Amino acid sequence: RRRHRLRWPRPRPGLAVTGFLMVVRTITGVILAGGLGRRMGGVDKGLQLLAGRPLVAHVAERLRPQVGPLMINANRSQAAYAAFGYPLLGDDIPDFAGPLAGLHAALGAASTPLVATAPCDSPYLPDDLVSRLHAGLLATGSRLAIARAEGRLHPVFCLCRRELRDELEQYLLGGGRRVAEWCQQTGTCLVDFDDQPAAFRNFNTLNDLGPST
């Protein structure tokens, strides 16, 4: 299946995207915090501090206004994550199968037709991420939209139709783990964020976080 390319201009300040505000309730947001944090020495990445606050708190602050229900995908440290007040869900696919396993669990748990994801280590995600991904879905009729900035794909920032769960499950059960590969197979809309590439910065090591850790 072919991938669609969409350039979507960022709304000018002061202009409400009224149509999108009406469909926010149809989108479940999920923060992906279910990994092993190998490049951070095995610590739980989402709980590490940036400017005195856990990374997952920064992500939740930005993602929460863009979605209806919000959940956290976590496979350990459940008590710590529960303290943020959002429902938790673990992977249904065992052995820390990566971010696609988190998306798979979210598609199974969500009661909305759409699921938006963001990783727990990207605290500067765009405040119009979900609205622009949603516009991509509508414009192209796709089932999956992912972010791209300056030619680089950011597939863990995605908006996915819940109907893709079974296809994703088959991919995972067949040993597939690569997010970009699955997106390419699925027929994906690419939504450009060339106006804010720094918003996708992530923190992979403790040194990246600075002395606050």
Side-chain angles (χ1 to χ4, degrees):
R1 297 174 182 175
R2 67 188 182 92
R3 293 188 298 177
H4 303 276
R5 181 181 181 186
L6 181 75
R7 292 186 179 275
W8 194 260
R10 189 177 185 180
R12 297 192 303 274
L15 290 182
V17 188
T18 306
F20 175 71
L21 293 178
M22 294 176 64
V23 301
V24 162
R25 70 188 67 180
T26 71
I27 301 172
T28 295
V30 180
I31 301 173
L32 301 174
L36 288 170
R38 290 187 179 95
R39 284 184 285 180
M40 280 195 176
V43 300
D44 207 316
K45 187 184 290 189
L47 300 176
Q48 304 312 301
L49 301 183
L50 175 69
R53 300 171 62 210
L55 280 169
V56 72
H58 291 276
V59 176
E61 183 176 71
R62 283 185 169 260
L63 187 59
R64 181 67 191 92
Q66 303 186 50
V67 297
L70 179 63
M71 300 186 288
I72 298 176
N73 165 234
N75 293 309
R76 49 187 184 147
S77 307
Q78 276 82 1
Y81 281 114
F84 294 99
Y86 301 108
L88 302 183
L89 68 156
D91 294 349
D92 295 321
I93 304 295
D95 302 323
F96 294 90
L100 283 179
L103 174 60
H104 171 263
L107 293 174
S111 59
T112 60
L114 295 167
V115 171
T117 66
C120 67
D121 61 354
S122 298
Y124 308 126
L125 64 98
D127 57 14
D128 57 357
L129 172 73
V130 181
S131 65
R132 291 166 72 169
L133 293 177
H134 184 261
L137 286 186
L138 292 183
T140 63
S142 301
R143 297 181 295 167
L144 176 68
I146 64 174
R148 179 174 60 180
E150 296 185 335
R152 180 179 178 184
L153 298 181
H154 299 281
V156 288
F157 296 88
C158 81
L159 183 64
C160 182
R161 295 193 186 276
R162 193 176 57 180
E163 65 198 53
L164 279 173
R165 181 184 182 276
D166 290 346
E167 291 180 35
L168 176 55
E169 182 169 293
Q170 291 305 309
Y171 178 77
L172 289 166
L173 292 177
R177 297 292 184 266
R178 297 183 177 181
V179 183
E181 180 182 69
W182 180 72
C183 290
Q184 185 172 15
Q185 293 178 5
T186 302
T188 302
C189 166
L190 304 179
V191 180
D192 284 315
F193 288 81
D194 291 345
D195 55 316
Q196 44 184 324
F200 298 96
R201 180 189 175 190
N202 65 327
F203 291 82
N204 287 316
T205 71
L206 293 175
N207 287 336
D208 291 340
L209 292 168
S212 61
T213 59

